[in-house]
Amino acid sequence: MTPKIARFLADQLPATPCLVVDVDRVAENFRALRAALPLASIYYAVKANPAPQVLERLVALGSRFDAAGIEEVEACFAAGAAPSAISFGNTIKKAGAIARAHAAGVDLYAFDCAEELAKLARHAPGSRVYCRIMVENAGADWPLSRKFGTDVATARALMLRAGELGLDPYGLSFHVGSQQTDPASYQLAIGRVAMLFTDLRDAGVDLRMVNLGGGFPVRYRDEVPGIATFGHAIMRAMTRAFGNDLPEMVIEPGRFIVGDAGVVSTEVVLVSRRTQHDPVRWVYLDIGRFGGLAETEGEAIRYRITTPHDGGETGPVTVAGPTCDGADVLYQRSNYRLPTALESGDRVELLAAGAYVSTYASQRFNGFAPLAEHYI
Ligand SMILES: *Cc1c(COP(=O)(O)O)cnc(C)c1O
């Protein structure tokens, strides 16, 4: 938790549950990533946290933006981003959304299949396009690749086709999976992309860009390698694969930029035991899976939890949300322990909750209001 957030919570005691984001920390994370990979253009993945305060600060820092939908494209414009600073990076786009983005001047689009490529040719003629390749997501706590990307042979055929359709075959992309803790995963993916670059050059198509996606991890309950480690690994692999002829490098960080800039402040609703002598207490918070903590699905993202009793004796707990839904259990198998003094009414904080929380909150499931947000 940043000192600014700690002060805000202590002074204001905002109603819970709420997300508090330190926008200065967002800026620090952007600068840290730029320092770790100075040759890469940073396209912030808007979906991680699309708050205007975040987008405006990033515009001021010279960030570009990776948008998943037309509403995100428009949020970037509203924050002051130029159309040339936007990549429409979702491989699954409505025709109407492509047309609107194209009419607004966006000219960089992702795809991963012939059908989407045909839509781009029709609704965003002449645009720069890049094809997403499927890569290993091992080492990622929140994998993505089962849903996106194609194989190298198909990508080769599609990039040739892109030119025939009047599009500009601009580059290749991949995503190693979100909360990726292994720098080697980028190196493997870069090797695969580089071979296809060479292959397509021989076929007469000169690609100019490699999009390395996001994935850069945030420290949750467990330590992760620092961003410099990722920067070095990526530059080593790029230089090995491309020599002095480096293509434009794009990265699309989401989690890394906003994750540790935010804290969720929540109230303990109930501490109970299912049966008289059960050693495990159930701790119910006033936020759960449906209040924004979607990434606790499968206990994939394990937030650090701080309480007013930290330092005292602890015992095993199951942590759950407040709704009448059996799926609304956050942590049951991840060996969470919390102070034995914890009781209902206590305020507890989930650290590094700035990414993928505010927009995952449901609309009034069980009557609960969407998550309140404070940007300071
Ligand atoms: C979600 C997403 C990102 C951001 O990933 P992080 O792991 O949050 O950095 C980047 N690119 C694409 C295409 C995405 O879908």
Side-chain angles (χ1 to χ4, degrees):
M1 173 165 356
T2 70
K4 203 160 74 160
I5 295 178
R7 218 176 313 123
F8 177 83
L9 289 173
D11 294 349
Q12 311 275 325
L13 282 177
T16 65
C18 66
L19 171 68
V20 186
V21 175
D22 181 344
V23 184
D24 291 334
R25 175 58 73 87
V26 172
E28 282 167 35
N29 290 340
F30 180 87
R31 290 197 194 94
L33 190 51
R34 192 162 54 187
L37 277 168
L39 294 183
S41 311
I42 301 178
Y43 285 67
Y44 169 63
V46 176
K47 71 176 190 283
N49 186 321
Q53 296 91 334
V54 169
L55 300 182
E56 283 162 17
R57 180 64 74 93
L58 290 171
V59 167
L61 289 164
S63 183
R64 297 164 176 255
F65 298 90
D66 168 53
I70 187 66
E71 292 82 358
E72 285 189 357
V73 170
E74 286 164 356
C76 293
F77 290 152
S84 59
I86 294 172
S87 167
F88 204 157
N90 194 339
T91 52
I92 303 153
K93 297 174 286 300
K94 282 182 162 179
I98 298 170
R100 267 164 73 186
H102 179 67
V106 174
D107 94 318
L108 184 57
Y109 297 85
F111 72 96
D112 66 1
C113 63
E115 292 78 3
E116 186 76 4
L117 188 62
K119 271 157 65 184
L120 290 172
R122 173 132 186 247
H123 301 287
S127 293
R128 294 175 296 158
V129 295
Y130 58 94
C131 185
R132 181 156 168 182
I133 311 284
M134 215 177 329
V135 297
E136 276 301 317
N137 273 202
D141 288 337
W142 194 257
L144 303 166
S145 254
R146 288 184 302 259
K147 182 168 174 184
F148 307 103
T150 187
D151 66 10
V152 167
T154 308
R156 182 183 188 280
L158 289 174
M159 289 313 265
L160 291 168
R161 179 92 186 111
E164 293 162 12
L165 289 172
L167 293 161
D168 177 0
Y170 190 60
L172 300 170
S173 74
F174 58 80
H175 198 300
V176 294
S178 200
Q179 186 67 7
Q180 174 57 258
T181 54
D182 183 5
S185 61
Y186 290 91
Q187 300 182 300
L188 275 172
I190 287 166
R192 183 173 302 186
V193 160
M195 285 195 306
L196 185 49
F197 253 68
T198 311
D199 197 24
L200 276 166
R201 181 161 299 170
D202 295 343
V205 178
D206 253 322
L207 303 183
R208 284 110 75 204
M209 183 272 282
V210 173
N211 180 333
L212 307 141
F216 307 104
V218 159
R219 198 240 148 133
Y220 293 109
R221 204 177 58 166
D222 306 316
E223 284 289 350
V224 296
I227 197 63
T229 309
F230 287 89
H232 290 140
I234 286 170
M235 284 320 298
R236 240 190 339 269
M238 287 296 292
T239 312
R240 196 184 307 135
F242 292 97
N244 289 329
D245 196 16
L246 281 185
E248 180 191 347
M249 288 169 62
V250 162
I251 52 176
E252 299 172 336
R255 189 183 303 281
F256 181 81
I257 300 290
V258 287
D260 77 354
V263 164
V264 163
S265 187
T266 165
E267 179 181 316
V268 176
V269 179
L270 178 68
V271 181
S272 66
R273 293 178 204 267
R274 296 251 67 82
T275 55
Q276 296 179 62
H277 303 296
D278 194 338
V280 179
R281 290 163 300 149
W282 279 64
V283 174
Y284 300 90
L285 305 176
D286 65 0
I287 184 172
R289 181 72 50 77
F290 304 101
L293 304 178
E295 290 196 318
T296 56
E297 163 110 41
E299 310 196 13
I301 298 299
R302 293 179 291 276
Y303 297 102
R304 261 196 291 171
I305 303 177
T306 60
T307 79
H309 311 287
D310 288 354
E313 186 198 346
T314 66
V317 292
T318 290
V319 184
T323 65
C324 299
D325 189 307
D328 193 7
V329 175
L330 306 179
Y331 303 118
Q332 194 157 29
R333 303 186 309 272
S334 299
N335 299 316
Y336 268 79
R337 297 179 67 85
L338 287 174
T340 49
L342 195 69
E343 57 185 6
S344 72
D346 281 345
R347 252 184 120 107
V348 305
E349 266 80 48
L350 308 187
L351 304 191
Y356 303 115
V357 170
S358 59
T359 47
Y360 268 136
S362 69
Q363 295 288 330
R364 304 231 167 247
F365 180 52
N366 282 212
F368 295 117
L371 186 61
E373 299 171 59
H374 307 279
Y375 293 83
I376 61 174

